[in-house]
Amino acid sequence: ELACGRVHSLVIDKGNLFAMGSNANGATFLGTSATDSYTPVFTGVSNVRSAAVTMYRAAYLKSDGTAMLAGLSYSQYRAMAPTAFPAGNIDDIALSMQTVWYLAGGQVYSWSAEPGSVPVAVPGASGVAQIAAGTYHLVMLFSDGTVATYSLDNVSGNARGQRGDGTTASSSAAITRLSFPTRVVEIA
């Protein structure tokens, strides 16, 4: 599996996490003093089952359901030390520009990962099997094969129609259920 950001990437090989590219703000889990890597470097992290990357952040999910985040603190505009997600038994992770999304027990949560922040359950986002994120929005695959989108950003969250509701209208209040001719089995 691999995850690509603006200037850095994470690769999982047999459960081992490798990083390459820019280590600005420590987003490659190589420490904040490490320089950029032009070849894959083992991060020292094993038993990884998935990873997510955005412009200035990266996260990984381990086989035991724990997850870690590294990269930029947007409120302090500096590198943050690798930070554990505030929950265990996590099933899936995704990153938007300033939002960390995670799925635990079928419920989707949003978390800014800033000092003092707490995760918030996304209203109406239970019974979810998989999540994926864009820069300003989230896509959810429900256990029944239906798909929905959501955004916390009421300015950019649908600027290019990424919510799939037929408009570019801004909305952060509700989940948008989408219609497909058959049951969806996976999102990316």
Side-chain angles (χ1 to χ4, degrees):
E1 182 176 325
L2 57 98
C4 300
R6 180 176 178 214
V7 291
H8 62 289
S9 301
L10 297 178
V11 176
I12 303 166
D13 181 28
K14 297 178 183 167
N16 296 313
L17 185 66
F18 290 82
M20 58 197 140
S22 172
N23 190 46
N25 303 301
T28 59
F29 294 100
L30 298 173
T32 56
S33 61
T35 59
D36 297 350
S37 171
Y38 303 114
T39 60
V41 175
F42 178 53
T43 62
V45 180
S46 298
N47 300 315
V48 175
R49 74 175 188 213
S50 68
V53 178
T54 189
M55 186 177 271
Y56 300 113
R57 287 181 168 176
Y60 63 81
L61 175 60
K62 295 187 79 170
S63 298
D64 65 2
T66 59
M68 294 290 288
L69 174 73
L72 182 68
S73 166
Y74 287 97
S75 67
Q76 299 171 356
Y77 208 72
R78 64 177 174 77
M80 63 179 160
T83 304
F85 279 48
N89 298 318
I90 295 174
D91 302 309
D92 202 1
I93 58 174
L95 298 176
S96 291
M97 180 63 91
Q98 295 184 19
T99 304
V100 176
W101 307 95
Y102 67 91
L103 177 63
Q107 175 65 53
V108 177
Y109 295 87
S110 66
W111 176 47
S112 72
E114 296 299 332
S117 68
V118 296
V120 176
V122 175
S126 61
V128 176
Q130 184 185 8
I131 57 175
T135 303
Y136 297 108
H137 69 290
L138 177 72
V139 179
M140 298 167 280
L141 173 61
F142 286 79
S143 299
D144 64 3
T146 59
V147 175
T149 58
Y150 180 75
S151 176
L152 288 174
D153 183 325
N154 63 6
V155 176
S156 304
N158 198 34
R160 300 285 184 245
Q162 63 266 42
R163 290 194 54 182
D165 63 1
T167 75
T168 57
S170 299
S171 173
S172 63
I175 288 176
T176 302
R177 291 280 183 161
L178 306 176
S179 177
F180 291 91
T182 61
R183 184 179 190 275
V184 176
V185 296
E186 186 174 5
I187 56 176

